[in-house]
Amino acid sequence: QSILTQPPSASGTPGQTVTISCSGTGSNIVSNFVSWYRQLPGTAPEVLIYRNNQRPSGVPDRFSSSESGTSASLAISGLRSEDEADYFCATWDDSRGAPVFGGGTKLTVL
Amino acid sequence: QVQLQQSSPGLVKPSQTLSLTCTISGDSVSSSDAVWNWIRRSPSRGLEWLGRTYYRSRWYRDYAKSMRSRIIVDPDTSKNQFSLQLTSVTPEDTGVYYCARSATFISGWFDSWGQGVLVTVSS
C-alpha cells in the first residue's frame, strides 16, 4: 500500500511510446517535485528524472515526464529491449514530512 | 563522483537488531549540502524510506513514523560513514536495504545509491 499509486505493469513493442502514471494527493505531487527511477534486477535504483523534468547527464531524452494536478507521468519513447525494468516515482509528502514512493511499474518490452 | 558502499549483514534472527553501515567516498557525511538516507525494498511494501541524518550546524535525524520507535540513523565522522540500527526485527523487515544521498532537503530525489544488501529476518 504505497502512498503514490502506479499501475503494477505496462508493456510495449520496440519503437513504441509507453506512459507510466503516478497518482498522489494534494500533500505530495501537487506541491513538490517528482522524481522517476529505473531499477534493473539486482541493481540499485537510478534516477531518470528529477525536479519534475530534469534529466541527469547520460539519461537520453527518450525519457520525459509531466505533471497535472495530483498525478505525474513518465513517457518512454522509442522503446528498446533494454528499457525492460521496474520504474518508480517519488516525491516529498508534506503531511508525512518524508519522501514517498510509488509501488513500482514493471515494464515489459514485447 | 559520490560512491556509497554498504556492509552486508545477511541473516538476522527475529527480535534481534539489524545493523548496517554505509561508507561514503567522494563526499562528506558532514556536508551541509547533502542528506544521508536509508531506504528498503520489499515485495510487500515496495520502496520505503526509513530515515536520514544530515548536518546543518548540528546533527539532525528524521525517521519514518512507522519506524520511529525502533530505528536509529547515526553519522560517524571519523570513518565518513552513516549507519542504520533497526531493533526488534520481524520477518516483515526482510528486504533489500539501500543507503542513498539526496542533495536537497525536501525531496524524493536521491542522486547516489549504495549497491543494496539483502537482509533476511528468519530463525
Side-chain angles (χ1 to χ4, degrees):
Chain A
Q1 52 277 34
S2 299
I3 306 303
L4 305 178
T5 302
Q6 297 180 234
S9 63
S11 63
T13 56
Q16 272 190 332
T17 295
V18 168
T19 301
I20 297 171
S21 63
C22 174
S23 177
T25 67
S27 67
N28 43 62
I29 288 180
V30 167
S31 48
N32 295 289
F33 288 129
V34 175
S35 300
W36 287 92
Y37 299 87
R38 173 177 62 189
Q39 187 171 26
L40 298 167
T43 69
E46 62 170 317
V47 58
L48 296 173
I49 300 285
Y50 65 97
R51 289 183 176 161
N52 286 355
N53 56 12
Q54 303 298 303
R55 287 186 307 276
S57 60
V59 175
D61 59 6
R62 300 190 298 110
F63 295 90
S64 63
S65 63
S66 62
E67 291 73 34
S68 178
T70 59
S71 293
S73 295
L74 174 73
I76 308 172
S77 62
L79 201 62
R80 301 179 178 181
S81 58
E82 56 261 38
D83 295 330
E84 202 163 89
D86 293 333
Y87 291 83
F88 295 89
C89 56
T91 187
W92 182 266
D93 189 287
D94 293 328
S95 64
R96 288 171 173 79
V100 291
F101 291 93
T105 298
K106 185 174 184 61
L107 175 62
T108 301
V109 181
L110 302 170
Chain B
Q1 184 179 352
V2 178
Q3 292 190 327
L4 304 177
Q5 182 68 37
Q6 300 177 226
S7 60
S8 53
L11 184 66
V12 183
K13 294 187 187 310
S15 79
Q16 290 189 342
T17 297
L18 180 164
S19 296
L20 295 173
T21 59
C22 182
T23 302
I24 303 162
S25 57
D27 200 348
S28 169
V29 70
S30 304
S31 169
S32 295
D33 298 316
V35 179
W36 306 100
N37 301 267
W38 286 100
I39 295 162
R40 71 181 179 189
R41 182 177 180 184
S42 63
S44 58
R45 298 172 181 262
L47 281 172
E48 180 182 17
W49 177 80
L50 303 177
R52 65 185 185 178
T53 187
Y54 52 97
Y55 185 77
R56 301 291 186 271
S57 301
R58 69 171 178 89
W59 287 102
Y60 291 85
R61 297 164 181 81
D62 299 323
Y63 302 126
K65 190 175 180 180
S66 61
M67 296 285 156
R68 211 161 282 168
S69 63
R70 58 190 189 100
I71 186 174
I72 296 174
V73 177
D74 263 339
D76 183 339
T77 56
S78 66
K79 296 179 180 177
N80 205 28
Q81 292 177 338
F82 63 107
S83 63
L84 168 70
Q85 284 191 73
L86 191 63
T87 63
S88 305
V89 297
T90 72
E92 282 286 299
D93 293 310
T94 293
V96 179
Y97 285 71
Y98 299 96
C99 57
R101 185 188 82 159
S102 45
T104 57
F105 179 68
I106 297 179
S107 172
W109 173 27
F110 305 96
D111 58 5
S112 297
W113 294 70
Q115 79 275 22
V117 294
L118 174 62
V119 176
T120 303
V121 180
S122 174
S123 54

